[in-house]
PDB file of all heavy atoms in Angstrom:
ATOM      1  N   ASN A  23      24.114 -30.767  22.120  1.00 58.00           N
ATOM      2  CA  ASN A  23      24.531 -29.367  22.444  1.00 58.00           C
ATOM      3  C   ASN A  23      23.439 -28.361  21.947  1.00 58.00           C
ATOM      4  O   ASN A  23      23.122 -27.425  22.580  1.00 58.00           O
ATOM      5  CB  ASN A  23      25.883 -28.898  21.918  1.00 58.00           C
ATOM      6  CG  ASN A  23      27.065 -29.635  22.682  1.00 58.00           C
ATOM      7  OD1 ASN A  23      26.863 -29.941  23.721  1.00 58.00           O
ATOM      8  ND2 ASN A  23      28.121 -29.673  22.014  1.00 58.00           N
ATOM      9  N   ILE A  24      22.804 -28.688  20.738  1.00 51.00           N
ATOM     10  CA  ILE A  24      21.807 -27.843  20.201  1.00 51.00           C
ATOM     11  C   ILE A  24      20.580 -27.858  21.110  1.00 51.00           C
ATOM     12  O   ILE A  24      19.921 -26.935  21.443  1.00 51.00           O
ATOM     13  CB  ILE A  24      21.524 -28.291  18.858  1.00 51.00           C
ATOM     14  CG1 ILE A  24      22.706 -28.020  17.814  1.00 51.00           C
ATOM     15  CG2 ILE A  24      20.324 -27.604  18.233  1.00 51.00           C
ATOM     16  CD1 ILE A  24      22.463 -28.481  16.415  1.00 51.00           C
ATOM     17  N   ILE A  25      20.332 -29.050  21.453  1.00 54.00           N
ATOM     18  CA  ILE A  25      19.042 -29.336  22.315  1.00 54.00           C
ATOM     19  C   ILE A  25      19.198 -28.643  23.571  1.00 54.00           C
ATOM     20  O   ILE A  25      18.259 -27.986  24.144  1.00 54.00           O
ATOM     21  CB  ILE A  25      18.766 -30.821  22.499  1.00 54.00           C
ATOM     22  CG1 ILE A  25      18.373 -31.551  21.239  1.00 54.00           C
ATOM     23  CG2 ILE A  25      17.755 -31.080  23.601  1.00 54.00           C
ATOM     24  CD1 ILE A  25      18.132 -33.034  21.330  1.00 54.00           C
ATOM     25  N   LYS A  26      20.362 -28.677  24.209  1.00 57.00           N
ATOM     26  CA  LYS A  26      20.650 -28.039  25.454  1.00 57.00           C
ATOM     27  C   LYS A  26      20.605 -26.534  25.340  1.00 57.00           C
ATOM     28  O   LYS A  26      19.991 -25.881  26.215  1.00 57.00           O
ATOM     29  CB  LYS A  26      22.086 -28.381  25.983  1.00 57.00           C
ATOM     30  CG  LYS A  26      22.354 -27.762  27.336  1.00 57.00           C
ATOM     31  CD  LYS A  26      23.731 -28.121  27.850  1.00 57.00           C
ATOM     32  CE  LYS A  26      24.008 -27.547  29.261  1.00 57.00           C
ATOM     33  NZ  LYS A  26      23.948 -26.064  29.324  1.00 57.00           N
ATOM     34  N   ALA A  27      21.152 -26.043  24.225  1.00 56.00           N
ATOM     35  CA  ALA A  27      21.137 -24.566  24.031  1.00 56.00           C
ATOM     36  C   ALA A  27      19.665 -24.011  23.816  1.00 56.00           C
ATOM     37  O   ALA A  27      19.302 -23.043  24.414  1.00 56.00           O
ATOM     38  CB  ALA A  27      21.919 -24.089  22.711  1.00 56.00           C
ATOM     39  N   TYR A  28      18.928 -24.812  23.134  1.00 54.00           N
ATOM     40  CA  TYR A  28      17.423 -24.362  22.821  1.00 54.00           C
ATOM     41  C   TYR A  28      16.615 -24.546  24.193  1.00 54.00           C
ATOM     42  O   TYR A  28      15.944 -23.625  24.461  1.00 54.00           O
ATOM     43  CB  TYR A  28      16.777 -25.373  21.850  1.00 54.00           C
ATOM     44  CG  TYR A  28      15.443 -24.995  21.472  1.00 54.00           C
ATOM     45  CD1 TYR A  28      15.096 -23.934  20.781  1.00 54.00           C
ATOM     46  CD2 TYR A  28      14.329 -25.701  22.110  1.00 54.00           C
ATOM     47  CE1 TYR A  28      13.812 -23.593  20.449  1.00 54.00           C
ATOM     48  CE2 TYR A  28      12.990 -25.362  21.687  1.00 54.00           C
ATOM     49  CZ  TYR A  28      12.834 -24.251  20.956  1.00 54.00           C
ATOM     50  OH  TYR A  28      11.461 -23.855  20.679  1.00 54.00           O
ATOM     51  N   LYS A  29      16.900 -25.544  24.991  1.00 54.00           N
ATOM     52  CA  LYS A  29      16.189 -25.588  26.290  1.00 54.00           C
ATOM     53  C   LYS A  29      16.634 -24.509  27.201  1.00 54.00           C
ATOM     54  O   LYS A  29      15.733 -23.865  27.854  1.00 54.00           O
ATOM     55  CB  LYS A  29      16.486 -27.104  26.957  1.00 54.00           C
ATOM     56  CG  LYS A  29      15.713 -28.156  26.334  1.00 54.00           C
ATOM     57  CD  LYS A  29      15.906 -29.480  27.068  1.00 54.00           C
ATOM     58  CE  LYS A  29      15.209 -30.557  26.600  1.00 54.00           C
ATOM     59  NZ  LYS A  29      15.361 -31.894  27.295  1.00 54.00           N
ATOM     60  N   ASP A  30      17.931 -24.173  27.236  1.00 58.00           N
ATOM     61  CA  ASP A  30      18.347 -23.095  28.077  1.00 58.00           C
ATOM     62  C   ASP A  30      17.616 -21.801  27.619  1.00 58.00           C
ATOM     63  O   ASP A  30      17.336 -20.937  28.507  1.00 58.00           O
ATOM     64  CB  ASP A  30      19.844 -22.960  28.025  1.00 58.00           C
ATOM     65  CG  ASP A  30      20.565 -24.144  28.746  1.00 58.00           C
ATOM     66  OD1 ASP A  30      19.875 -24.855  29.480  1.00 58.00           O
ATOM     67  OD2 ASP A  30      21.790 -24.350  28.482  1.00 58.00           O
ATOM     68  N   LEU A  31      17.501 -21.490  26.306  1.00 57.00           N
ATOM     69  CA  LEU A  31      16.929 -20.301  25.811  1.00 57.00           C
ATOM     70  C   LEU A  31      15.421 -20.227  26.268  1.00 57.00           C
ATOM     71  O   LEU A  31      15.040 -19.147  26.760  1.00 57.00           O
ATOM     72  CB  LEU A  31      17.058 -20.344  24.332  1.00 57.00           C
ATOM     73  CG  LEU A  31      16.318 -19.148  23.611  1.00 57.00           C
ATOM     74  CD1 LEU A  31      17.036 -17.736  23.954  1.00 57.00           C
ATOM     75  CD2 LEU A  31      16.420 -19.312  22.064  1.00 57.00           C
TER      76      LEU A  31
END
Side-chain angles (χ1 to χ4, degrees):
N23 286 340
I24 293 173
I25 292 174
K26 182 180 184 302
Y28 182 77
K29 284 185 174 180
D30 289 345
L31 176 64

